[in-house]
Amino acid sequence: PIPSADQSESRVFTAVYQKVSPSVVRIDNLTSLAAGSGDATDEALPESQGSGWVWDTSGYIVTNNHVVEGADALAVTFPDGVELPAELIGRDPDSDLAVVRVDPSLVQLVPTERGRLEEVEVGQRAIAIGNPFGYDNSITTGIVSALGRSIESQSGYSIPLAIQTDAAINPGNSGGPLLNDR
């Protein structure tokens, strides 16, 4: 039998998920607890959570600035359950981008294969992998609705050349990758 279009599409989504999900991490923005005397303790609680993706094998991870903003500490959890502290390397509130780094000797890092913006077309499939609502590595799909959109960042700066998608992006997906079928 000839596979239906739905079966073929499902196979593509499964293949993309299997290829990329080892690169997608959960990032916990932690707040230090203060002891009664006003001294900070070693204990920290999650303030918020988002997603990120492994840039390279040197431990660099890309996320959104609003995922890490105001953190007293950061923790990165990998798909295999390994949780590591992360150092904030840099952030740009205007573009809502941030880079954190983990010790690459403590975990196997699988960098995300990066595409080329000039190959993206309106109508193509858009696939988002992230950690919505604290659940690890969920996938949502949609299409590329438009290209070259300007999106206002939390700082009021207009981010140019954004990809608009109708893929469901829920709290916790922020910072995760937007992918095509390749």
Side-chain angles (χ1 to χ4, degrees):
I2 298 174
S4 71
D6 287 343
Q7 290 171 327
S8 295
E9 191 170 54
S10 291
R11 281 196 285 269
V12 167
F13 295 150
T14 299
V16 169
Y17 180 82
Q18 289 173 345
K19 181 176 183 178
V20 178
S21 65
S23 306
V24 179
V25 299
R26 187 180 78 225
I27 299 176
D28 289 301
N29 180 325
L30 305 171
T31 298
S32 294
L33 294 177
S37 65
D39 295 331
T41 68
D42 289 339
E43 213 172 336
L45 292 176
E47 176 73 21
S48 61
Q49 174 267 320
S51 301
W53 47 277
V54 176
W55 177 265
D56 63 17
T57 58
S58 297
Y60 292 98
I61 296 168
V62 177
T63 188
N64 286 125
N65 177 66
H66 72 266
V67 170
V68 300
E69 191 169 42
D72 292 330
L74 297 166
V76 173
T77 304
F78 291 83
D80 62 3
V82 171
E83 182 178 324
L84 297 175
E87 173 189 8
L88 179 62
I89 298 299
R91 63 188 195 91
D92 180 15
D94 288 338
S95 64
D96 195 24
L97 288 174
V99 176
V100 302
R101 186 172 184 267
V102 297
D103 183 338
S105 69
L106 300 176
V107 67
Q108 182 179 359
L109 296 167
V110 180
T112 304
E113 181 181 336
R114 294 177 293 279
R116 299 167 48 96
L117 183 58
E118 59 271 11
E119 294 176 3
V120 178
E121 295 179 0
V122 173
Q124 286 180 327
R125 275 288 174 200
I127 303 165
I129 299 177
N131 301 287
F133 308 114
Y135 296 114
D136 292 338
N137 280 7
S138 293
I139 183 172
T140 62
T141 65
I143 62 166
V144 173
S145 304
L147 297 171
R149 295 287 195 222
S150 290
I151 298 174
E152 188 174 322
S153 71
Q154 289 181 336
S155 71
Y157 176 78
S158 185
I159 302 169
L161 302 175
I163 299 171
Q164 179 183 339
T165 181
D166 66 350
I169 308 297
N170 297 300
N173 274 113
S174 290
L178 184 66
L179 309 155
N180 64 17
D181 58 6
R182 288 178 267 159

